[in-house]
Short mmCIF file of all heavy atoms in Angstrom, two decimals:
data_model
loop_
_atom_site.label_atom_id
_atom_site.label_comp_id
_atom_site.label_asym_id
_atom_site.label_seq_id
_atom_site.Cartn_x
_atom_site.Cartn_y
_atom_site.Cartn_z
N SER A 16 -66.48 91.43 90.06
CA SER A 16 -65.95 91.15 91.39
C SER A 16 -66.03 92.46 92.17
O SER A 16 -66.40 93.48 91.63
CB SER A 16 -64.51 90.67 91.34
OG SER A 16 -63.71 91.68 90.79
N ASN A 17 -65.67 92.44 93.44
CA ASN A 17 -65.76 93.65 94.24
C ASN A 17 -64.38 94.14 94.62
O ASN A 17 -63.49 93.34 94.86
CB ASN A 17 -66.55 93.39 95.51
CG ASN A 17 -68.04 93.36 95.21
OD1 ASN A 17 -68.52 94.14 94.40
ND2 ASN A 17 -68.73 92.43 95.83
N ARG A 91 -82.20 93.10 106.18
CA ARG A 91 -81.60 92.56 104.96
C ARG A 91 -81.32 91.07 105.11
O ARG A 91 -81.02 90.60 106.20
CB ARG A 91 -80.35 93.33 104.54
CG ARG A 91 -79.17 93.29 105.45
CD ARG A 91 -77.95 93.98 104.82
NE ARG A 91 -78.21 95.33 104.34
CZ ARG A 91 -77.30 96.15 103.85
NH1 ARG A 91 -76.03 95.76 103.78
NH2 ARG A 91 -77.60 97.35 103.43
N HIS A 93 -78.72 88.64 103.55
CA HIS A 93 -77.54 88.65 102.67
C HIS A 93 -76.43 87.83 103.33
O HIS A 93 -76.29 87.86 104.57
CB HIS A 93 -77.07 90.09 102.43
CG HIS A 93 -76.15 90.24 101.25
ND1 HIS A 93 -74.78 90.07 101.37
CD2 HIS A 93 -76.39 90.52 99.95
CE1 HIS A 93 -74.23 90.25 100.16
NE2 HIS A 93 -75.18 90.51 99.29
N LEU A 104 -75.52 100.30 110.32
CA LEU A 104 -76.74 100.66 109.59
C LEU A 104 -77.79 101.28 110.53
O LEU A 104 -78.53 102.17 110.14
CB LEU A 104 -77.30 99.43 108.87
CG LEU A 104 -76.54 99.03 107.59
CD1 LEU A 104 -76.76 97.54 107.26
CD2 LEU A 104 -76.98 99.88 106.40
N LYS A 111 -80.57 109.61 109.57
CA LYS A 111 -81.61 109.90 108.55
C LYS A 111 -82.87 110.44 109.20
O LYS A 111 -83.44 111.43 108.75
CB LYS A 111 -82.01 108.62 107.80
CG LYS A 111 -80.96 108.07 106.88
CD LYS A 111 -81.47 106.81 106.15
CE LYS A 111 -80.31 105.91 105.83
NZ LYS A 111 -80.65 104.74 105.03
N LYS A 123 -82.03 98.50 112.74
CA LYS A 123 -81.71 97.73 111.52
C LYS A 123 -81.61 96.27 111.89
O LYS A 123 -81.20 95.92 113.00
CB LYS A 123 -80.38 98.19 110.92
CG LYS A 123 -80.22 97.82 109.46
CD LYS A 123 -80.98 98.77 108.54
CE LYS A 123 -80.80 98.44 107.09
NZ LYS A 123 -81.20 99.57 106.24
N ARG A 131 -81.12 83.79 97.39
CA ARG A 131 -81.11 83.39 95.96
C ARG A 131 -80.94 81.89 95.82
O ARG A 131 -81.28 81.33 94.77
CB ARG A 131 -79.97 84.11 95.22
CG ARG A 131 -80.22 85.61 95.07
CD ARG A 131 -78.96 86.33 94.67
NE ARG A 131 -77.89 86.11 95.64
CZ ARG A 131 -76.65 86.56 95.52
NH1 ARG A 131 -76.33 87.27 94.46
NH2 ARG A 131 -75.75 86.32 96.44
N PRO A 162 -88.29 96.74 104.43
CA PRO A 162 -87.41 95.99 103.51
C PRO A 162 -86.03 96.62 103.35
O PRO A 162 -85.85 97.81 103.57
CB PRO A 162 -88.14 96.05 102.16
CG PRO A 162 -89.43 96.77 102.39
CD PRO A 162 -89.35 97.47 103.70
N ASP A 163 -85.08 95.80 102.98
CA ASP A 163 -83.74 96.26 102.63
C ASP A 163 -83.22 95.25 101.59
O ASP A 163 -84.02 94.63 100.87
CB ASP A 163 -82.86 96.36 103.88
CG ASP A 163 -81.56 97.12 103.63
OD1 ASP A 163 -81.60 98.35 103.50
OD2 ASP A 163 -80.49 96.49 103.57
N VAL A 164 -81.92 95.04 101.54
CA VAL A 164 -81.35 94.20 100.48
C VAL A 164 -81.93 92.78 100.55
O VAL A 164 -81.95 92.15 101.61
CB VAL A 164 -79.80 94.14 100.61
CG1 VAL A 164 -79.22 93.19 99.58
CG2 VAL A 164 -79.21 95.53 100.47
N TYR A 165 -82.39 92.30 99.41
CA TYR A 165 -82.95 90.95 99.21
C TYR A 165 -84.15 90.65 100.10
O TYR A 165 -84.44 89.49 100.40
CB TYR A 165 -81.87 89.86 99.37
CG TYR A 165 -80.81 89.87 98.27
CD1 TYR A 165 -79.57 89.26 98.44
CD2 TYR A 165 -81.04 90.50 97.05
CE1 TYR A 165 -78.61 89.27 97.43
CE2 TYR A 165 -80.09 90.53 96.04
CZ TYR A 165 -78.87 89.91 96.24
OH TYR A 165 -77.91 89.93 95.23
N THR A 166 -84.85 91.69 100.55
CA THR A 166 -86.17 91.49 101.16
C THR A 166 -87.16 92.39 100.41
O THR A 166 -86.75 93.36 99.77
CB THR A 166 -86.19 91.82 102.67
OG1 THR A 166 -85.73 93.16 102.86
CG2 THR A 166 -85.33 90.85 103.47
N ARG A 203 -94.54 103.65 98.43
CA ARG A 203 -93.38 103.19 99.21
C ARG A 203 -92.38 102.44 98.36
O ARG A 203 -91.17 102.58 98.53
CB ARG A 203 -93.83 102.31 100.40
CG ARG A 203 -92.67 101.66 101.18
CD ARG A 203 -91.72 102.69 101.78
NE ARG A 203 -90.54 102.14 102.43
CZ ARG A 203 -89.36 101.89 101.83
NH1 ARG A 203 -89.21 102.11 100.51
NH2 ARG A 203 -88.35 101.43 102.51
N GLU A 204 -92.88 101.62 97.40
CA GLU A 204 -91.96 100.79 96.63
C GLU A 204 -90.91 101.63 95.89
O GLU A 204 -89.75 101.25 95.79
CB GLU A 204 -92.76 99.94 95.63
CG GLU A 204 -92.00 98.71 95.21
CD GLU A 204 -92.69 97.97 94.08
OE1 GLU A 204 -93.95 98.01 94.01
OE2 GLU A 204 -91.97 97.38 93.26
N THR A 207 -87.63 105.28 97.88
CA THR A 207 -86.19 105.50 98.04
C THR A 207 -85.63 106.08 96.75
O THR A 207 -84.86 107.05 96.76
CB THR A 207 -85.49 104.18 98.41
OG1 THR A 207 -86.15 103.61 99.53
CG2 THR A 207 -84.02 104.41 98.75
N GLN A 234 -74.99 101.65 89.90
CA GLN A 234 -74.51 100.33 90.33
C GLN A 234 -75.59 99.67 91.20
O GLN A 234 -75.96 100.19 92.25
CB GLN A 234 -73.24 100.47 91.17
CG GLN A 234 -72.67 99.12 91.59
CD GLN A 234 -71.72 99.19 92.77
OE1 GLN A 234 -71.90 100.00 93.67
NE2 GLN A 234 -70.72 98.35 92.78
N GLY A 235 -76.14 98.54 90.75
CA GLY A 235 -77.23 97.87 91.48
C GLY A 235 -78.52 98.10 90.74
O GLY A 235 -78.87 99.24 90.39
N PHE A 236 -79.24 97.00 90.45
CA PHE A 236 -80.49 97.12 89.68
C PHE A 236 -81.64 96.43 90.43
O PHE A 236 -82.48 95.78 89.86
CB PHE A 236 -80.28 96.51 88.28
CG PHE A 236 -81.16 97.14 87.23
CD1 PHE A 236 -81.08 98.49 86.93
CD2 PHE A 236 -82.06 96.36 86.50
CE1 PHE A 236 -81.87 99.07 85.95
CE2 PHE A 236 -82.86 96.92 85.51
CZ PHE A 236 -82.77 98.28 85.23
N GLY A 237 -81.59 96.57 91.78
CA GLY A 237 -82.65 96.00 92.60
C GLY A 237 -83.76 97.01 92.79
O GLY A 237 -84.02 97.84 91.91
N ASN A 238 -84.42 96.97 93.94
CA ASN A 238 -85.53 97.89 94.20
C ASN A 238 -85.09 99.33 93.95
O ASN A 238 -85.72 100.07 93.20
CB ASN A 238 -86.03 97.70 95.64
CG ASN A 238 -87.07 98.74 96.00
OD1 ASN A 238 -86.75 99.90 96.25
ND2 ASN A 238 -88.32 98.35 96.00
N VAL A 239 -83.96 99.72 94.55
CA VAL A 239 -83.54 101.12 94.48
C VAL A 239 -82.99 101.47 93.09
O VAL A 239 -83.42 102.43 92.45
CB VAL A 239 -82.51 101.44 95.59
CG1 VAL A 239 -82.03 102.87 95.49
CG2 VAL A 239 -83.11 101.17 96.96
N GLY A 240 -82.04 100.67 92.61
CA GLY A 240 -81.37 101.00 91.35
C GLY A 240 -82.31 100.96 90.16
O GLY A 240 -82.28 101.85 89.30
N SER A 258 -75.48 98.12 86.63
CA SER A 258 -74.80 96.87 86.99
C SER A 258 -75.61 96.13 88.05
O SER A 258 -76.53 96.69 88.64
CB SER A 258 -73.39 97.15 87.51
OG SER A 258 -73.45 97.62 88.83
N ASP A 259 -75.25 94.88 88.25
CA ASP A 259 -75.82 94.09 89.35
C ASP A 259 -74.72 93.18 89.86
O ASP A 259 -73.54 93.35 89.51
CB ASP A 259 -77.08 93.32 88.90
CG ASP A 259 -76.79 92.38 87.74
OD1 ASP A 259 -75.66 91.85 87.68
OD2 ASP A 259 -77.69 92.16 86.90
N VAL A 260 -75.09 92.19 90.68
CA VAL A 260 -74.07 91.35 91.31
C VAL A 260 -73.23 90.59 90.27
O VAL A 260 -72.10 90.18 90.56
CB VAL A 260 -74.75 90.40 92.33
CG1 VAL A 260 -75.59 89.34 91.62
CG2 VAL A 260 -73.77 89.79 93.29
N ASN A 261 -73.75 90.44 89.05
CA ASN A 261 -73.02 89.69 88.02
C ASN A 261 -72.12 90.55 87.14
O ASN A 261 -71.40 90.01 86.30
CB ASN A 261 -74.02 88.95 87.12
CG ASN A 261 -74.90 88.02 87.93
OD1 ASN A 261 -74.39 87.21 88.70
ND2 ASN A 261 -76.21 88.17 87.79
N ARG A 279 -85.51 92.21 84.27
CA ARG A 279 -84.80 91.95 85.54
C ARG A 279 -85.56 90.91 86.35
O ARG A 279 -86.78 90.82 86.27
CB ARG A 279 -84.61 93.25 86.34
CG ARG A 279 -85.89 93.80 86.94
CD ARG A 279 -85.66 95.14 87.61
NE ARG A 279 -85.28 94.97 89.00
CZ ARG A 279 -86.15 94.88 90.01
NH1 ARG A 279 -87.44 94.92 89.80
NH2 ARG A 279 -85.71 94.75 91.24
N SER A 281 -86.40 88.94 90.28
CA SER A 281 -86.87 89.49 91.54
C SER A 281 -85.71 89.83 92.48
O SER A 281 -85.93 90.46 93.52
CB SER A 281 -87.85 88.53 92.21
OG SER A 281 -87.17 87.32 92.47
N PHE A 282 -84.49 89.40 92.17
CA PHE A 282 -83.33 89.77 93.01
C PHE A 282 -82.55 90.93 92.38
O PHE A 282 -81.44 91.24 92.81
CB PHE A 282 -82.40 88.56 93.21
CG PHE A 282 -83.02 87.50 94.09
CD1 PHE A 282 -83.49 86.33 93.54
CD2 PHE A 282 -83.13 87.70 95.45
CE1 PHE A 282 -84.08 85.36 94.35
CE2 PHE A 282 -83.71 86.73 96.27
CZ PHE A 282 -84.19 85.56 95.72
N GLY A 283 -83.10 91.55 91.34
CA GLY A 283 -82.43 92.70 90.74
C GLY A 283 -81.28 92.32 89.84
O GLY A 283 -80.31 93.08 89.70
N SER A 284 -81.35 91.15 89.20
CA SER A 284 -80.31 90.75 88.23
C SER A 284 -80.85 90.83 86.82
O SER A 284 -81.98 90.40 86.56
CB SER A 284 -79.86 89.31 88.49
OG SER A 284 -79.23 89.22 89.72
N ASN A 295 -67.06 94.87 88.15
CA ASN A 295 -67.46 95.93 89.07
C ASN A 295 -66.42 97.05 89.10
O ASN A 295 -66.75 98.24 89.10
CB ASN A 295 -67.63 95.31 90.46
CG ASN A 295 -68.43 96.18 91.38
OD1 ASN A 295 -69.39 96.79 90.98
ND2 ASN A 295 -68.00 96.25 92.62
N ALA A 309 -75.85 101.93 94.15
CA ALA A 309 -77.16 101.55 94.71
C ALA A 309 -77.17 100.06 95.02
O ALA A 309 -78.16 99.36 94.78
CB ALA A 309 -78.28 101.91 93.73
N ALA A 310 -76.02 99.55 95.54
CA ALA A 310 -75.95 98.11 95.84
C ALA A 310 -75.50 97.89 97.28
O ALA A 310 -76.33 97.87 98.19
CB ALA A 310 -75.03 97.42 94.85
N MET A 311 -74.18 97.78 97.50
CA MET A 311 -73.68 97.38 98.82
C MET A 311 -72.66 98.41 99.35
O MET A 311 -72.34 99.37 98.68
CB MET A 311 -73.01 96.01 98.73
CG MET A 311 -73.92 94.90 98.24
SD MET A 311 -75.32 94.57 99.32
CE MET A 311 -74.50 93.83 100.73
N GLU A 312 -72.14 98.13 100.55
CA GLU A 312 -71.15 99.02 101.17
C GLU A 312 -69.77 98.89 100.50
O GLU A 312 -69.50 97.90 99.82
CB GLU A 312 -70.93 98.67 102.66
CG GLU A 312 -72.13 98.85 103.55
CD GLU A 312 -72.91 97.57 103.70
OE1 GLU A 312 -72.41 96.52 103.30
OE2 GLU A 312 -74.05 97.62 104.20
N GLN A 314 -67.87 100.20 98.14
CA GLN A 314 -67.62 100.03 96.71
C GLN A 314 -66.60 101.05 96.19
O GLN A 314 -65.78 100.74 95.34
CB GLN A 314 -68.93 100.15 95.92
CG GLN A 314 -69.96 99.11 96.32
CD GLN A 314 -69.44 97.70 96.08
OE1 GLN A 314 -69.13 97.33 94.96
NE2 GLN A 314 -69.33 96.91 97.15
N ALA A 331 -77.09 106.16 96.79
CA ALA A 331 -78.41 105.54 97.02
C ALA A 331 -78.26 104.36 97.97
O ALA A 331 -79.16 104.06 98.76
CB ALA A 331 -79.00 105.08 95.70
N ALA A 332 -77.13 103.64 97.88
CA ALA A 332 -76.87 102.53 98.81
C ALA A 332 -76.47 103.10 100.16
O ALA A 332 -76.11 104.28 100.28
CB ALA A 332 -75.75 101.65 98.27
N ASN A 333 -76.51 102.27 101.17
CA ASN A 333 -75.96 102.64 102.47
C ASN A 333 -74.48 102.33 102.50
O ASN A 333 -74.07 101.20 102.19
CB ASN A 333 -76.67 101.84 103.57
CG ASN A 333 -78.06 102.37 103.87
OD1 ASN A 333 -78.23 103.56 104.14
ND2 ASN A 333 -79.06 101.51 103.80
N GLY A 334 -73.68 103.33 102.83
CA GLY A 334 -72.24 103.12 103.03
C GLY A 334 -71.45 102.67 101.82
O GLY A 334 -70.48 101.92 101.99
N ASN A 358 -80.72 108.59 100.36
CA ASN A 358 -81.63 107.44 100.27
C ASN A 358 -82.72 107.44 101.35
O ASN A 358 -83.39 106.43 101.55
CB ASN A 358 -80.85 106.12 100.28
CG ASN A 358 -80.20 105.80 101.62
OD1 ASN A 358 -80.66 106.21 102.66
ND2 ASN A 358 -79.12 105.02 101.57
N ALA A 359 -82.93 108.61 101.99
CA ALA A 359 -83.89 108.64 103.10
C ALA A 359 -85.34 108.78 102.63
O ALA A 359 -86.26 108.84 103.46
CB ALA A 359 -83.54 109.77 104.06
N GLY A 361 -86.97 106.42 101.41
CA GLY A 361 -87.61 105.16 101.81
C GLY A 361 -88.17 105.25 103.22
O GLY A 361 -89.35 104.98 103.45
N VAL A 362 -87.34 105.66 104.16
CA VAL A 362 -87.82 105.71 105.54
C VAL A 362 -88.85 106.83 105.71
O VAL A 362 -89.76 106.72 106.54
CB VAL A 362 -86.64 105.83 106.55
CG1 VAL A 362 -85.94 107.16 106.49
CG2 VAL A 362 -87.15 105.56 107.96
N1 NAI B 529 -85.03 99.24 99.71
C1 NAI B 529 -85.03 100.41 100.33
O1 NAI B 529 -86.08 101.03 100.54
C2 NAI B 529 -83.74 101.04 100.77
C3 NAI B 529 -82.52 100.52 100.38
N2 NAI B 529 -81.38 101.20 100.71
C4 NAI B 529 -80.08 100.67 100.32
O2 NAI B 529 -79.98 100.59 98.89
C5 NAI B 529 -79.11 99.52 98.54
C6 NAI B 529 -79.84 98.55 97.60
O3 NAI B 529 -81.00 98.06 98.25
P1 NAI B 529 -82.21 97.40 97.45
O4 NAI B 529 -82.28 97.97 96.08
O5 NAI B 529 -83.38 97.49 98.33
O6 NAI B 529 -81.75 95.91 97.39
P2 NAI B 529 -82.16 94.78 96.32
O7 NAI B 529 -81.97 93.50 97.02
O8 NAI B 529 -83.49 95.06 95.75
O9 NAI B 529 -81.07 94.94 95.16
C7 NAI B 529 -79.70 94.81 95.42
C8 NAI B 529 -78.96 95.03 94.11
O10 NAI B 529 -77.56 95.04 94.41
C9 NAI B 529 -76.89 94.05 93.61
N3 NAI B 529 -75.83 93.50 94.42
C10 NAI B 529 -75.92 92.68 95.49
N4 NAI B 529 -74.72 92.35 95.97
C11 NAI B 529 -73.83 93.00 95.18
C12 NAI B 529 -72.43 93.09 95.15
N5 NAI B 529 -71.70 92.42 96.06
N6 NAI B 529 -71.84 93.85 94.19
C13 NAI B 529 -72.59 94.53 93.29
N7 NAI B 529 -73.95 94.50 93.27
C14 NAI B 529 -74.54 93.75 94.20
C15 NAI B 529 -77.95 93.02 93.29
O11 NAI B 529 -77.62 92.27 92.13
C16 NAI B 529 -79.17 93.92 93.08
O12 NAI B 529 -79.14 94.45 91.78
C17 NAI B 529 -78.66 98.89 99.87
O13 NAI B 529 -77.47 99.50 100.30
C18 NAI B 529 -79.80 99.27 100.82
O14 NAI B 529 -79.40 99.26 102.17
C19 NAI B 529 -81.40 102.39 101.38
C20 NAI B 529 -82.58 102.93 101.77
C21 NAI B 529 -83.84 102.27 101.58
#
Side-chain angles (χ1 to χ4, degrees):
S16 62
N17 283 321
R91 65 174 52 175
H93 197 273
L104 284 157
K111 290 182 209 185
K123 200 79 178 197
R131 291 165 302 176
D163 193 73
V164 176
Y165 292 161
T166 56
R203 174 60 185 90
E204 203 188 329
T207 307
Q234 183 199 34
F236 208 61
N238 174 284
V239 178
S258 77
D259 59 32
V260 70
N261 302 308
R279 71 185 271 273
S281 61
F282 290 106
S284 294
N295 198 39
M311 301 297 290
E312 296 94 11
Q314 300 300 300
N333 284 307
N358 70 28
V362 69

